[in-house]
Amino acid sequence: QVQLVESGGGSVQAGGSLRLSCAASGSGSSASVMGWYRQTPGKQRELVASKPSGGTANYAEFAKGRFTISRDNAKNTVYLQMNSLKQEDTAVYYCRALYLGVRTTTFWGQGTQVTVSS
């Protein structure tokens, strides 16, 4: 069973930066795709950014130019560098790992709160 452990959330003022980390354990291989999603109360979880192993990153429009996703496949870790944070970025951020193979399996982290104040 794969476990995803997120860290790096917290409170920051608008314009500030945070770096989220998500480490995957329990798998003998790197996830096919790792990504970050976020959710606010009453809204659906939405994609922030994702990155295939060895592939090109994909960003939501609101993340382009401000957020950067990166992976360290050797450490089975994915990062999300968030700059120029806005109040509307306040949300719980979730890490997701997708394993493609004979059986496609998705795992989620427990979520980490990001709060951006004015």
Side-chain angles (χ1 to χ4, degrees), residues 35-40 43-49 60-62 67 88-94 108:
W36 290 94
Y37 289 71
R38 69 185 190 184
Q39 189 170 23
T40 54
K43 291 191 175 182
Q44 283 191 327
R45 194 171 295 186
E46 62 179 352
L47 172 72
V48 177
E61 281 299 320
F62 64 78
F67 296 179
E88 51 263 44
D89 294 319
T90 296
V92 178
Y93 284 71
Y94 295 91
W108 291 93

Side-chain angles (χ1 to χ4, degrees), residues 50-105:
S50 64
K51 192 174 190 309
S53 178
T56 303
N58 176 50
Y59 294 93
E61 281 299 320
F62 64 78
K64 291 179 180 178
R66 299 190 299 129
F67 296 179
T68 301
I69 188 171
S70 60
R71 289 182 62 171
D72 184 335
N73 290 330
K75 296 181 179 180
N76 277 340
T77 300
V78 63
Y79 306 94
L80 184 68
Q81 177 67 42
M82 303 186 293
N83 298 327
S84 302
L85 282 162
K86 305 175 182 179
Q87 281 186 275
E88 51 263 44
D89 294 319
T90 296
V92 178
Y93 284 71
Y94 295 91
C95 173
R96 174 181 179 257
L98 173 67
Y99 291 80
L100 297 174
V102 174
R103 195 171 57 174
T104 297
T105 311

